[in-house]
Amino acid sequence: MSRLEMIEHVETPRKVVAITFDDGPNPVYTLKVLDIFEKIAGKVTFFMIGRHMEEHPEIVEAVKLQGHEIGNHTYSHARLTSLDEDDCLQEMERTDAMIAAMTGRKAVIFRPPYLDYNETVISMCHHFGYKMIGALNTDALDWEQPGVDYIVQKTRNHIKNGSILLFHDGFGDRSQTIQAVKILVSELRLQGYEFVTISELLQLQTMD
């Protein structure tokens, strides 16, 4: 089987970044993200958990209406490398079907929980036709709530054309993440960056 790489950035001469959010949808923090990017007409990508989509279909609808992208992040946020092939398939398949049913569009991107994958996960990505998406700023550790300044400083180190950036809008208090993203978005706009979805970013790779 051909290797499937985890894509963390895309080479492009355009000043674009793809900001992504994991573990939603969340009735508080996903809406705050939508508010930030609606004000600047920017687009982002949400890697959603299936069971959270079931709990908050209205948030999924709001994300869809604003034109953001939704990617598969499994049904229950299981560590896929600890599952057998059938359970791994079910984790991905349930959310794949849910995204298609709730948005009318098939997901084309996937992010494994904990960014942890093996040959089985790679095989599943081939099966579903997914690109597997990582990120450059994993050292920002926003899920651990290390402080707004910490998240901002660590993320700044990874800003360049085509960067994919990782944040979280689900599981627990994400107020630090929201504040950090507000700061970063303001800075990046002043620097002339556009905010695009993962699929838009991947298209630039072939166009430029």
Side-chain angles (χ1 to χ4, degrees), residues 75-197:
Y75 180 77
S76 69
H77 205 267
R79 189 177 288 275
L80 297 180
T81 54
S82 67
L83 302 181
D84 65 27
E85 191 166 339
D86 286 344
D87 289 339
C88 185
L89 173 64
Q90 187 175 31
E91 277 284 338
M92 294 171 70
E93 194 169 51
R94 288 179 76 178
T95 301
D96 183 79
M98 210 173 293
I99 292 170
M102 295 174 82
T103 70
R105 301 180 66 177
K106 184 193 177 322
V108 295
I109 53 174
F110 174 74
R111 177 175 281 153
Y114 314 101
L115 298 176
D116 190 21
Y117 66 99
N118 57 13
E119 286 296 330
T120 300
V121 176
I122 291 170
S123 173
M124 293 299 158
C125 285
H126 282 295
H127 171 75
F128 288 103
Y130 288 151
K131 300 283 190 185
M132 188 162 55
I133 308 301
L136 292 177
N137 68 325
T138 53
D139 58 342
L141 304 174
D142 82 299
W143 60 91
E144 293 185 359
Q145 303 180 48
V148 174
D149 290 345
Y150 186 94
I151 298 168
V152 170
Q153 294 285 357
K154 290 292 186 181
T155 301
R156 280 184 186 137
N157 295 335
H158 300 287
I159 300 298
K160 60 183 178 181
N161 293 1
S163 291
I164 297 173
L165 304 174
L166 165 66
F167 301 99
H168 292 74
D169 62 331
F171 288 133
D173 182 354
R174 295 294 166 223
S175 53
Q176 288 185 11
T177 295
I178 296 299
Q179 287 304 115
V181 168
K182 283 181 179 178
I183 292 166
L184 289 161
V185 164
S186 179
E187 291 180 357
L188 290 170
R189 285 187 76 207
L190 288 173
Q191 294 168 30
Y193 281 94
E194 293 177 77
F195 304 96
V196 298
T197 65

Side-chain angles (χ1 to χ4, degrees), residues 10-21:
V10 164
E11 293 292 339
T12 174
R14 284 184 54 181
K15 293 195 78 168
V16 294
V17 293
I19 295 181
T20 67
F21 294 88

